[in-house]
Amino acid sequence: PWWALYPKVEDYFARILSVMTRGREVRDLLVVHPVESAWVLCRRNWIDAKGWRPEISELNQGFSEVRDTLLQNQIDYDYGNEVIMSRHARVIRGAGGPVLKVGKASYRAVVLPPMITLRRSTLNLLRQFRKAGGLVVFAGKPASYLEGRPSNTVEAFVRECRQAVFTGAALVRAVEKDCRRLSIVDGKGHAIPSALYL
């Protein structure tokens, strides 16, 4: 009995599809995902009846704080996987300055949340990006391992980059000039943390 009225629903979805397929996604910020740091910690007895081991909980907490801080301040981003970055990322000269390209996506800034280990390919890419004038922000404790082995190489690079705690206004200030596309604020001009956008 409803088939004659169904175009009302289908026309609505067709219009949305038409609008959504005519543009492209734009995010200026890439957040390197610390999954490889989690792999370093996931070994025998990494979880027990009480839950995750403390170091895994700490890594997860820092990563979650970066996520929440950026989202609640309406700074959209993509996650960067180090394997994909090693295969598909490069630094190019864009119209507005250096750009980190990963496939078809372009980023003007990179944030590294608290991490334990970093790939050498990621570090080399970030050095190249930073040398070209790109923004690299270390949010929280930087990696003390390079490809799973103790190293102070990352620490030396951190001194050349912006640093911020992994939560709160300092992280927002570190990236918003280069990465903010819009703000959703209340009548007093304060960000509305529950208003997320994509």
Side-chain angles (χ1 to χ4, degrees):
W2 48 264
W3 68 268
L5 301 174
Y6 207 60
K8 302 258 188 235
V9 173
E10 288 303 315
D11 289 351
Y12 172 78
F13 286 120
R15 288 184 189 105
I16 289 175
L17 178 67
S18 178
V19 169
M20 297 301 288
T21 58
R22 296 199 190 286
R24 66 179 181 85
E25 294 182 32
V26 177
R27 290 182 196 88
D28 298 309
L29 181 61
L30 182 70
V31 175
V32 178
H33 197 291
V35 67
E36 294 189 14
S37 293
W39 291 344
V40 168
L41 298 173
C42 291
R43 51 189 177 268
R44 188 173 182 213
N45 299 324
W46 69 277
I47 191 168
D48 59 23
K50 296 177 185 175
W52 291 340
R53 289 177 28 182
E55 60 270 24
I56 296 174
S57 293
E58 183 181 330
L59 179 69
N60 186 58
Q61 179 66 28
F63 180 58
S64 297
E65 292 284 348
V66 169
R67 175 202 64 207
D68 293 347
T69 296
L70 295 172
L71 290 175
Q72 290 173 0
N73 286 279
Q74 295 92 37
I75 297 175
D76 203 4
Y77 62 90
D78 283 332
Y79 286 124
N81 178 288
E82 291 187 81
V83 174
I84 293 171
M85 291 169 65
S86 72
R87 295 177 186 159
H88 301 287
R90 66 191 188 287
V91 177
I92 64 166
R93 238 342 168 188
V99 171
L100 179 65
K101 292 276 293 177
V102 183
K104 293 182 179 181
S106 300
Y107 305 99
R108 299 187 320 174
V110 178
V111 165
L112 290 102
M115 301 175 92
I116 294 167
T117 188
L118 192 66
R119 280 183 178 234
R120 187 176 306 281
S121 60
T122 303
L123 181 60
N124 291 339
L125 180 69
L126 294 175
R127 280 182 173 150
Q128 184 183 358
F129 184 53
R130 176 71 192 103
K131 186 176 180 182
L135 175 61
V136 177
V137 178
F138 283 85
K141 184 178 177 185
S144 56
Y145 288 72
L146 191 62
E147 298 198 346
R149 296 177 184 216
S151 174
N152 60 4
T153 308
V154 177
E155 186 180 319
F157 177 59
V158 170
R159 290 191 285 272
E160 301 173 24
C161 302
R162 271 192 209 164
Q163 299 173 53
V165 293
F166 55 80
T167 185
L171 177 56
V172 174
R173 281 193 304 273
V175 298
E176 72 180 335
K177 181 178 177 238
D178 294 276
C179 301
R180 181 178 295 289
R181 291 276 173 166
L182 61 87
S183 295
I184 304 171
V185 297
D186 60 19
K188 295 180 181 176
H190 300 113
I192 300 172
S194 61
L196 309 179
Y197 88 99
L198 173 64

